[in-house]
Amino acid sequence: MGNTSSMLTQYDIEEVQEHCNNTFSQQEIVSLYQRFCQLDRSGGGFISADEFLSVPEFAVNPLSQRLLKILDGLNFKEFVLFLSAFSSRASLQQKIEFIFKVYDSDGNGKVAFSDMLDVLRDLTGQFISEQQREQVLTHVLEESGYTRDSLLSISDFVKTLGNSDLKMEVEVPVD
Amino acid sequence: MGDPGKLNSSSSELDLDRPNLEDYLPSGTSIQQEPHGKLRLRDLLDISPTLTEAAGAIIDDSFTRCFKSNPPEPWNWNVYLFPLWCFGVVVRYFILFPARVLVLTIGWIIFLSSFIPVHFLLKGHDKLRKNLERLLVELICSFFVASWTGVVKYHGPRPSMRPKQVFVANHTSMIDFIILEQMTAFAVIMQKHPGWVGLLQSTILESVGCIWFNRSEAKDREIVTKKLRDHVLGADNNPLLIFPEGTCVNNHYTVMFKKGAFELGCSVCPVAIKYNKIFVDAFWNSKKQSFTVHLLQLMTSWAVVCDVWYLEPQNIRPGETAIEFAERVRDIISVRAGLKMVPWDGFLKYSRPSPKHREQRQQNFAETMLRRLEEK
């Protein structure tokens, strides 16, 4: 399944489905493939950052740059795996793991104060000063029993987000 | 945490003359209810709404949909359909196409042999020359339409030659202009194109009155607005036709109308055009094919079928801004032609969205966060 211009065979679909742990149905995978080919205008087998940013709805998203670091250069199989966290069949654990991955930009399995501050900065922009951001973050961390120097792991995330009703679902249009 | 959080004032003033993006985006994007309760760690860590929006945009977005040309479904080949289709191809390419080229050539000969004498010999008699040139342009456009066997149904009263009015229409391809022009010799505002199209633009279209713009020039807008205003006020000028979308859209959606046509202080007559894709898709995907290839595609298909509706002239209502007026007219046209409205600027095909949208979101988030910090 190297070249995106070729059609998907049944084997390809099943391979991708296995890779994403059956979070998408075969029809959804076909739809995602059409979408992948539509975005991959240069036909290189992966979607470049520029091609993602040509979708205005994505470009205006505050977390677009952070997501691009993960998305850049993904082939179709990895692309589906990336989106699998947003399927209705994905478990809460998978969704929390995805959020963790967005925070943990260096991939060392630990989320530090600076990581959380970076994300907060993306979300609030210039409308809050850096000082206020640090104050707010320190305040809520201390309230939950952490400190500024705490390194949060995935289990901390599960503990914090586990019992909130996390809504993170996108429907794949199937024609 | 003694002092109450204070927001920095935004250095970019929010563009008041843009319709609210949130009104158009799918419901998943607007935060369902305003979250309240004291701010906790999980509220800051839970970035799921923003992530969901991003994933939604990756999977399907309303902007890309506007420019998707849908290839026709392949037929089910079987014993009798395949030879029939082959026969159709032979007829289209080897009988119809040459006949159409012939018709077009005859049309050009007639046109040029009348236009050039009229243009030079009648230099003194401006009114007569103008009328004749108008008729000749309508004639050559009719020949063009015939060359793709255009089956056009016009509905509504034909445009009348009056000052202080402007015509706006949705845009699918440059042939929109030809289809409308064969009925009434409009003056038009267009992007200057290279090649033979540009040559046509600078010679023949000049005679009906044309205004050029250049998308890439930023200051261009003011210059163009002034030219538009001057044209509309002139009593002898041909009625002006504007495509406020500024770019070709695939005839299933409409993108935002530029407000330039709606702040000229005159009435706006909407025209809706809807193509029937039964034989060919008239959408000109300028990224995928040049205009010449697009025309050839039209000339080797059976027919181009479309409906044109001339709708009731609209005036700006007291208290209405130009943007609101533009959106109202866009709604009238979209409803008539069965098109869906999307909140995007057509020029985003060529550039990135302005940071104002993102800043709006950031401001909302920041305000909510600081408010909840104060709650007990």
Side-chain angles (χ1 to χ4, degrees):
Chain A
M1 193 185 25
N3 210 345
T4 52
S5 60
S6 55
M7 293 281 291
L8 273 189
T9 66
Q10 183 63 27
Y11 291 118
D12 293 330
I13 297 175
E14 284 169 6
E15 193 188 328
V16 171
Q17 203 177 26
E18 207 191 297
H19 190 73
C20 69
N21 295 317
N22 288 344
T23 39
F24 286 119
S25 72
Q26 298 203 349
Q27 265 187 316
E28 288 172 329
I29 291 178
V30 172
S31 284
L32 285 174
Y33 187 65
Q34 284 170 350
R35 176 67 173 173
F36 186 84
C37 294
Q38 191 185 53
L39 292 175
D40 177 22
R41 261 179 253 129
S42 55
F46 63 93
I47 309 176
S48 67
D50 215 46
E51 284 164 342
F52 273 115
L53 289 173
S54 71
V55 177
E57 233 171 280
F58 180 78
V60 302
N61 192 289
L63 292 176
S64 53
Q65 288 303 322
R66 221 170 164 86
L67 288 171
L68 279 177
K69 286 206 196 79
I70 308 175
L71 282 167
D72 201 11
L74 289 185
N75 65 12
F76 178 60
K77 221 162 66 168
E78 302 299 323
F79 176 73
V80 173
L81 186 61
F82 173 88
L83 291 172
S84 61
F86 297 91
S87 156
S88 50
R89 298 185 195 85
S91 66
L92 184 60
Q93 177 76 15
Q94 283 173 306
K95 293 183 199 281
I96 298 177
E97 277 171 7
F98 184 87
I99 295 179
F100 187 81
K101 206 163 75 162
V102 174
Y103 272 94
D104 182 22
S105 50
D106 51 12
N108 62 359
K110 294 263 173 259
V111 169
F113 187 77
S114 56
D115 292 324
M116 291 186 275
L117 197 62
D118 286 341
V119 172
L120 195 55
R121 194 181 307 118
D122 284 339
L123 291 174
T124 51
Q126 65 198 88
F127 298 95
I128 298 189
S129 74
E130 189 70 4
Q131 246 184 330
Q132 279 166 342
R133 263 192 289 266
E134 292 190 18
Q135 275 182 324
V136 172
L137 195 52
T138 315
H139 175 73
V140 292
L141 274 173
E142 285 171 356
E143 257 200 308
S144 297
Y146 299 102
T147 69
R148 249 183 96 122
D149 304 314
S150 299
L151 293 174
L152 273 65
S153 67
I154 180 68
S155 50
D156 294 309
F157 264 67
V158 172
K159 197 169 70 172
T160 315
L161 296 170
N163 46 13
S164 64
D165 34 24
L166 206 70
K167 283 198 185 50
M168 205 165 89
E169 254 174 52
V170 179
E171 203 185 300
V172 178
V174 170
D175 26 51
Chain B
M1 281 290 308
D3 52 337
K6 197 170 83 72
L7 283 178
N8 289 347
S9 58
S10 70
S11 52
S12 63
E13 83 285 331
L14 286 153
D15 208 350
L16 286 168
D17 52 71
R18 296 209 145 257
N20 195 2
L21 204 65
E22 311 293 313
D23 289 336
Y24 291 94
L25 289 175
S27 58
T29 64
S30 56
I31 303 177
Q32 298 87 332
Q33 317 106 315
E34 270 281 301
H36 32 238
K38 195 161 185 315
L39 194 73
R40 296 210 168 286
L41 181 61
R42 67 157 178 267
D43 301 311
L44 287 189
L45 288 185
D46 182 5
I47 47 175
S48 57
T50 314
L51 290 180
T52 311
E53 279 173 28
I58 293 175
I59 286 176
D60 188 22
D61 76 294
S62 51
F63 185 72
T64 319
R65 264 185 258 143
C66 294
F67 304 102
K68 203 162 82 147
S69 35
N70 298 315
E73 292 282 321
W75 292 23
N76 279 330
W77 295 136
N78 58 23
V79 175
Y80 61 90
L81 279 183
F82 189 63
L84 209 61
W85 179 79
C86 287
F87 179 65
V89 170
V90 164
V91 170
R92 280 188 289 132
Y93 279 79
F94 297 109
I95 302 177
L96 284 183
F97 181 64
R100 285 168 176 170
V101 172
L102 189 64
V103 164
L104 201 55
T105 316
I106 294 175
W108 272 109
I109 295 174
I110 298 177
F111 175 73
L112 288 171
S113 56
S114 323
F115 189 83
I116 294 175
V118 164
H119 190 74
F120 290 109
L121 296 178
L122 289 182
K123 263 222 154 75
H125 315 264
D126 270 343
K127 192 125 172 105
L128 180 62
R129 180 172 77 144
K130 234 175 148 100
N131 283 334
L132 283 179
E133 284 179 348
R134 212 174 270 156
L135 280 172
L136 286 174
V137 170
E138 285 176 22
L139 182 73
I140 187 65
C141 285
S142 305
F143 269 102
F144 258 112
V145 174
S147 77
W148 349 289
T149 318
V151 179
V152 187
K153 278 197 290 255
Y154 296 95
H155 311 265
R158 304 291 175 264
S160 45
M161 286 268 308
R162 290 190 297 193
K164 305 270 276 162
Q165 66 175 1
V166 127
F167 288 82
V168 301
N170 58 311
H171 201 28
T172 305
S173 161
M174 291 231 285
I175 66 175
D176 292 340
F177 167 68
I178 299 176
I179 286 173
L180 292 177
E181 192 82 356
Q182 77 159 346
M183 184 55 64
T184 329
F186 287 111
V188 73
I189 163 172
M190 287 179 128
Q191 166 87 23
K192 198 74 186 283
H193 286 271
W196 63 270
V197 181
L199 183 65
L200 281 186
Q201 288 179 319
S202 41
T203 48
I204 296 161
L205 293 182
E206 280 293 339
S207 68
V208 286
C210 281
I211 299 171
W212 311 119
F213 71 82
N214 200 337
R215 253 178 226 133
S216 35
E217 264 172 58
K219 273 285 161 201
D220 202 52
R221 238 195 80 178
E222 283 140 37
I223 306 172
V224 167
T225 314
K226 180 162 186 322
K227 287 194 204 167
L228 286 177
R229 247 184 256 253
D230 292 340
H231 184 103
V232 169
L233 293 174
D236 283 332
N237 289 330
N238 288 329
L240 187 59
L241 174 63
I242 298 179
F243 294 108
E245 287 171 308
T247 189
C248 292
V249 185
N250 71 357
N251 210 230
H252 288 290
Y253 298 91
T254 50
V255 295
M256 278 187 6
F257 278 8
K258 304 215 168 313
K259 61 178 178 169
F262 300 88
E263 40 184 25
L264 299 172
C266 59
S267 43
V268 170
C269 310
V271 181
I273 308 178
K274 176 73 178 173
Y275 290 91
N276 188 331
K277 291 213 295 216
I278 183 172
F279 294 122
V280 72
D281 184 358
F283 168 50
W284 177 37
N285 197 339
S286 52
K287 285 201 166 165
K288 284 216 176 120
Q289 39 179 214
S290 71
F291 189 59
T292 320
V293 171
H294 173 63
L295 261 193
L296 287 176
Q297 191 192 8
L298 293 177
M299 286 175 74
T300 53
S301 57
W302 291 108
V304 172
V305 183
C306 70
D307 284 282
V308 173
W309 291 275
Y310 296 107
L311 302 169
E312 194 185 321
Q314 301 290 322
N315 286 299
I316 191 164
R317 297 199 181 127
E320 208 180 26
T321 66
I323 291 266
E324 286 167 355
F325 184 31
E327 285 298 290
R328 186 163 60 87
V329 172
R330 178 160 82 113
D331 188 52
I332 293 172
I333 293 181
S334 307
V335 166
R336 180 68 270 188
L339 309 171
K340 295 199 200 87
M341 292 171 63
V342 297
W344 302 105
D345 180 339
F347 284 7
L348 286 174
K349 244 175 158 184
Y350 310 98
S351 63
R352 298 267 174 268
S354 99
K356 289 180 183 136
H357 294 302
R358 181 187 303 200
E359 283 170 6
Q360 169 81 68
R361 282 194 161 86
Q362 287 172 330
Q363 191 175 24
N364 288 344
F365 187 87
E367 278 171 4
T368 311
M369 194 181 85
L370 289 173
R371 182 177 49 77
R372 291 181 66 185
L373 206 55
E374 295 310 308
E375 283 186 28
K376 290 292 160 261

